[in-house]
Amino acid sequence: MSVLINGIGVSRGITIGEAYVYVRTTSEAREYNVPAEFHDEEIRRLHRAVKIASRQLHDIRKKIAKDTPEDILTFIDSHLLMMEDPAFDEGAAAIVREFSCNAEWALQVQCDRLVQVFDGMKDPYLRTRKDDVIYVVQRIQNCLSNKPEAFAEPVQFKGRVVIADDLSPADALMMQHQKVAAFVTEYGGPMSHTAILARNLGIPAIVGVHNVRQLIHPNDYLIVDGLNGMIINDPDLHSLKYYRRLQRSAQARRKQLDELRHEPAVTLDGVAITLQVNIDRPEDISQLRQIDGTGVGLYRTEMLFIEKNKIVDEETQFRTYKRALMRLKGEQLTIRTLDLGADKEIEEALNQGPMAHNPAMGLRAIRRCLKDPDEFLNQLRAILRVAAYGPVQMMIPMLTGIGELKQVSQLIERAKEQLRERRARFDPALKVGAMIEVPSAALSADAFASKMDFLSIGTNDLIQYTLAIDRIDDEVSYLYNPLHPAVLQLIKRTIDAGSKAGKPVSMCGEMASDSAYTRLLLGMGLNYFSVQTNSLLEIKHIINNSHVGQLRKQTRKILDCHDTDEIQSLVEKLNL
Ligand code: PEP
Ligand code: MG
């Protein structure tokens, strides 16, 4: 029977396909007593499970797509090595005899012992290897309990709807490599970085579906409507027909918009608008599919660190940024310095001590870079060097005041000095901009505009910090409203500060990618948009059919308004 399940749609698109229930951790192994006369049999059961687990991994290794990143292959190889090391299952076998316990429990005891050893290591990289032990042990435990679905195998995501409690940006990237069809998660808000990533990758996604893992089971046949946040489990023929029709019309619309690929973004009254995209990795640029004149307004460099799950050295950063620049063929690349922290973390940091109580307000982004200047200098040098090869600019996230800016400027000068000493090639005139994503920065926009080369409004965080709403908490996502009058005032203030100082102001937060707000933003005087690649042509279509002169007049009324509902209906009128 067809069942309708609701959540928060965070990445539009329709997927029809089978569920893959992704379990990040298996249930705890249970201990039971195995009398001495059954030890040999229990140990044979253990050896059999190890063999099956290793055969499964070899199968995955063989079937894996040719273009799978080297990192994922290395990851599988290291698990195979561990699994096939005779000391590994002999150790567990000895525990069966020592404690007269079952094989699952013996593996757990061995796992805990090894994890303890890894935890005690000084080297942060080696400390993170404990996860490999956990992975290997869980895989064997699953084989012991015949739970093949209980642990995710990368190749099985292809074409499936992944059902999970939550997904990290790293999970999402890994699944995208395996061509996952959609995500549905129990937790997470629309502005979480995983949700943003899903939008950027064009993967339909729904979050905040409470108890989803009780409602959807492995291989259930689903329709996922990412726009409306709806899942239909076991759909009837009527729903299937309806959604297939919607899929076809979305495809037709995309084809129609494709005709705008070579058109400039210019309003009906002749105002040229700069339309750029947000990327997470150099590969995202290939998605641009020859859309003329499109540069990058936000390159989230932390995704390189997250994908590798470690702090990345200067040379690797330089090579990666250069790859992005070369792919842009002369268009501008705006590289944002590291914004790690909150929901974007690498394991090394997670293992360094207790989690902050309020990570979004903690040591995130530029605060974290300033705390570790050597690491920050690596990135500054990499960016300064890549800027010698084409139009690159750099922007700094989460600035709260001019004091931080002074520290950043000093470090940029030091990085230049170091490069001069090395006689390295770099751009001494690299343009530096500030992200305006904290209310204090928006209130100081005049000062930032006078000192920086450009500003870029990060509405995802600006809304989070202005309205005191955790952007990844689905419980409060109903309060997350770009049309809140306080948010609009801060955006307007920033745009005006830029135009007074003669400095470009861009918007790279998700508000710029939502076509419902394009006309409002044009009316507020925004001339630079950095959007999700998937929204680019739709936004261009709206720009090319708007008259900025008229919008400016209509927008004034909206900015004088204090009632969010009224603002909403005025914005809807603007879009008619
Ligand atoms: C923002 O906050 O709007 C932004 C673009 O940065 P991020 O989403 O990466 O925090
Ligand atoms: Mg931000």
Side-chain angles (χ1 to χ4, degrees), residues 193 196 298 300 302 336 339 344 364-365 397-398 435-437 457-462 464-465 471 508-509:
H193 286 92
I196 292 174
L298 165 64
R300 290 183 165 99
E302 56 278 6
R336 178 174 76 179
D339 183 6
K344 290 184 285 193
R364 187 192 151 183
M398 221 188 148
M435 279 197 76
I436 303 296
E437 50 182 352
I457 307 172
T459 48
N460 310 338
D461 280 313
L462 186 61
Q464 157 166 265
Y465 295 125
R471 61 191 266 192
C508 60

Side-chain angles (χ1 to χ4, degrees), residues 181-442:
F183 297 136
V184 176
T185 65
E186 186 145 0
Y187 307 106
M191 292 303 144
S192 72
H193 286 92
T194 305
I196 292 174
L197 210 54
R199 286 196 284 278
N200 226 357
L201 300 170
I203 302 170
I206 300 177
V207 301
V209 188
H210 296 284
N211 300 320
V212 68
R213 288 164 303 150
Q214 271 94 58
L215 300 168
I216 298 175
H217 301 104
N219 305 325
D220 279 359
Y221 197 59
L222 309 171
I223 294 176
V224 177
D225 174 351
L227 177 67
N228 298 304
M230 260 168 33
I231 304 141
I232 306 176
N233 194 352
D234 193 13
D236 56 25
L237 259 178
H238 177 74
S239 311
L240 276 171
K241 261 192 191 164
Y242 173 76
Y243 275 99
R244 289 209 169 110
R245 207 168 45 238
L246 281 188
Q247 275 182 321
R248 281 194 297 274
S249 60
Q251 212 172 358
R253 172 80 181 141
R254 274 198 299 275
K255 244 189 170 164
Q256 214 176 16
L257 287 172
D258 251 14
E259 287 167 15
L260 291 176
R261 278 192 295 143
H262 306 299
E263 300 283 320
V266 185
T267 64
L268 293 172
D269 48 342
V271 181
I273 304 295
T274 301
L275 204 45
Q276 300 185 313
V277 292
N278 298 345
I279 62 161
D280 297 301
R281 308 159 307 165
E283 297 78 64
D284 296 344
I285 293 167
S286 54
Q287 271 196 60
L288 283 177
R289 289 189 304 134
Q290 296 137 13
I291 300 174
D292 283 358
T294 310
V296 168
L298 165 64
Y299 174 10
R300 290 183 165 99
T301 56
E302 56 278 6
M303 291 303 167
L304 168 66
F305 292 58
I306 289 173
E307 221 169 1
K308 295 205 176 290
N309 202 9
K310 62 177 186 190
I311 297 297
V312 179
D313 61 36
E314 177 188 333
E315 237 8 77
T316 311
Q317 290 189 56
F318 169 70
R319 279 201 308 274
T320 312
Y321 305 157
K322 192 165 166 211
R323 201 144 41 89
L325 183 65
M326 293 303 125
R327 283 180 183 222
L328 278 170
K329 301 196 166 76
E331 299 299 337
Q332 187 177 57
L333 175 65
T334 309
I335 304 179
R336 178 174 76 179
T337 58
L338 210 54
D339 183 6
L340 279 176
D343 64 333
K344 290 184 285 193
E345 228 8 306
I346 52 172
E347 259 163 39
E348 186 175 316
L350 289 175
N351 292 336
Q352 260 166 12
M355 274 285 281
H357 285 299
N358 213 337
M361 302 228 193
L363 210 54
R364 187 192 151 183
I366 191 60
R367 302 169 178 190
R368 181 185 177 130
C369 290
L370 292 175
K371 184 162 183 237
D372 192 339
D374 287 335
E375 212 174 274
F376 191 35
L377 281 164
N378 280 341
Q379 183 168 47
L380 293 176
R381 286 194 302 273
I383 298 173
L384 281 160
R385 283 171 58 199
V386 82
Y389 294 85
V392 170
Q393 54 182 16
M394 174 168 81
M395 68 182 180
I396 318 291
M398 221 188 148
L399 288 164
T400 53
I402 297 299
E404 284 161 332
L405 200 55
K406 278 193 210 151
Q407 284 175 272
V408 172
S409 305
Q410 279 165 6
L411 286 170
I412 294 174
E413 286 316 307
R414 195 178 318 156
K416 288 181 186 172
E417 221 28 70
Q418 292 170 337
L419 290 172
R420 276 190 202 103
E421 277 166 23
R422 264 201 229 165
R423 296 183 187 285
R425 185 175 164 201
F426 72 97
D427 176 13
L430 173 73
K431 287 203 165 88
V432 184
M435 279 197 76
I436 303 296
E437 50 182 352
V438 179
S440 65

Side-chain angles (χ1 to χ4, degrees), residues 102-167:
N102 53 319
E104 289 90 338
W105 188 251
L107 280 165
Q108 198 56 51
V109 172
Q110 200 192 17
C111 177
D112 293 346
R113 284 178 182 169
L114 290 170
V115 164
Q116 215 175 2
V117 175
F118 278 107
D119 272 342
M121 287 181 176
K122 280 223 167 65
D123 184 298
Y125 173 75
L126 286 178
R127 258 198 327 263
T128 66
R129 304 322 292 169
K130 72 175 183 193
D131 287 342
D132 295 324
V133 180
I134 296 171
Y135 178 96
V136 165
V137 165
Q138 285 181 344
R139 187 170 264 288
I140 303 168
Q141 284 173 334
N142 288 335
C143 291
L144 281 165
S145 56
N146 287 326
K147 273 198 289 184
E149 273 290 336
F151 211 86
E153 294 173 1
V155 283
Q156 294 182 351
F157 297 132
K158 191 170 178 186
R160 305 267 210 118
V161 177
V162 166
I163 309 294
D165 56 346
D166 200 1
L167 292 173

